[in-house]
Amino acid sequence: MTRIDATFARLKAEGKKAFVAYVMAGDPDYDTSLEIVKGLPGAGVDIIELGQPFTDPMADGPTIQAAGQRALAQGMTLQKTLDMARAFRETDNETPIVMMGYYNPIYSRGVERFLADAREAGIDGLIIVDLPPEEDEELCIPAQKAGLNFIRLATPTTDDRRLPRVMQNTSGFVYYVSITGITGSAQAEAGDVAPEVARIKAAGNLPVVVGFGITTPEAAARIAGVADGAVVGSAIVSRIARGDTPAEVLGFVRTLADGAHSA
C-alpha cells in the first residue's frame, strides 16, 4: 500500500473527500516554493501535486506555463525537484507527493535511474501527461514495479471504448479533467462532472478526483461532493504569481481544503 492508497483509505474511513493541491516546484524560487510545499499539509492538503517545470508544457494554460518559466529562470531542474521532495520528507513522512509533468526530462535522465531517485526522494506517484496508455512499457509499468503509483488522466472525450484502456494500468487514483482544453480555462460544473465520475468508477475500483476549473472553496465543495476529491492548481499558482507571501498562499489553500472537506 502506497501513501496514496493509505490516504484514500483513511479519508474514506473518516467520511471525507480528498483535497489535492498543485504547485510548481521552484516557483517563484526554490526556497519560497519549499516553504509553501512544507506548509501545505498544515493547510489541509491531503495530497501534494508537485509540478516539474518543462519548456514545452502543452497541456497547461498560461498560469501554469508562466509558473514553469519562472521556475526554470531560477535554475529549477528535475534534480532540484527531487531535492525538494527529499527536503519535505525530512519533516513529513505521511503526505503523498505526486510528481506531475512531461516525459522528456525523465527520458533524458534515464527511466531506471529516475525511478530509483524518485523513490528514494519520497515521490509516491507520477502523472505524466504526454505518455498515453500505448506507451505503458516506457514508464508506467516500470514505475508500478518500482512501487510508485502511475495516475492517468481521463477527460470528457474519453469514451466508453477508450476508458478501459486508460484504466488498465492506472493506480492510486484517476484524475478526471472536468473540462476540455487547457488548465485554468473554464469553470467545472458538478452537474456535468457527476455522471462522468460514476462512469469512471464503474470501469475500475479506484478513487476519482476532479481537477481543472476549480477556483473557489464553494466550487471545491461542489466538485468534491460528486467525486472522491478535488484538485486545485491554477488558482493557487496565481496567488504565488501575484506575489502573495507563503502565509497568504497557505491561508487561501486552507479555505479551499475546508471547502473540499465540507462535501
Side-chain angles (χ1 to χ4, degrees), residues 51-218:
Q52 164 58 39
F54 184 53
T55 53
D56 188 24
M58 67 189 92
D60 296 316
T63 300
I64 303 296
Q65 285 189 22
Q69 291 300 314
R70 289 192 298 270
L72 290 170
Q74 289 290 322
M76 200 63 185
T77 62
L78 176 56
Q79 180 59 53
K80 289 184 177 180
T81 302
L82 294 172
D83 291 344
M84 182 172 290
R86 188 178 297 105
F88 175 84
R89 287 282 170 240
E90 292 174 0
T91 55
D92 188 316
N93 198 40
E94 294 184 3
T95 307
I97 299 176
V98 175
M99 182 181 288
M100 186 171 187
Y102 298 83
Y103 185 46
N104 185 274
I106 295 170
Y107 177 80
S108 297
R109 190 180 188 89
V111 167
E112 186 174 346
R113 178 188 172 197
F114 166 75
L115 291 174
D117 292 345
R119 183 72 186 270
E120 187 273 332
I123 300 294
D124 302 289
L126 302 172
I127 300 176
I128 308 300
V129 297
D130 55 348
L131 276 183
E134 287 74 17
E135 306 296 336
D136 275 358
E137 293 290 344
E138 284 282 326
L139 182 62
C140 173
I141 292 173
Q144 308 256 35
K145 290 179 179 177
L148 278 73
N149 290 125
F150 198 89
I151 296 139
R152 192 81 70 190
L153 303 181
T155 74
T157 59
T158 306
D159 61 21
D160 288 341
R161 186 170 56 179
R162 180 66 172 169
L163 186 58
R165 188 67 182 269
V166 169
M167 300 291 291
Q168 185 173 7
N169 291 315
T170 300
S171 66
F173 61 90
V174 178
Y175 186 138
Y176 179 66
V177 176
S178 64
I179 56 174
T180 54
I182 56 177
T183 58
S185 59
Q187 295 296 313
E189 297 295 338
D192 297 329
V193 167
E196 292 299 298
V197 170
R199 185 170 68 93
I200 295 166
K201 290 180 75 69
N205 191 30
L206 288 174
V208 179
V209 302
V210 178
F212 287 47
I214 303 170
T215 60
T216 66
E218 295 75 19

Side-chain angles (χ1 to χ4, degrees), residues 5-53:
D5 299 328
T7 294
F8 278 108
R10 173 182 59 79
L11 289 168
K12 184 176 182 180
E14 295 173 355
K16 292 172 65 177
K17 303 300 180 73
F19 179 65
V20 184
Y22 171 97
V23 293
M24 180 67 73
D27 175 38
D29 56 68
Y30 182 92
D31 291 340
T32 305
S33 182
L34 178 58
E35 183 179 351
I36 292 170
V37 171
K38 283 187 171 183
L40 291 175
V45 173
D46 300 299
I47 298 173
I48 297 168
E49 275 187 28
L50 191 60
Q52 164 58 39

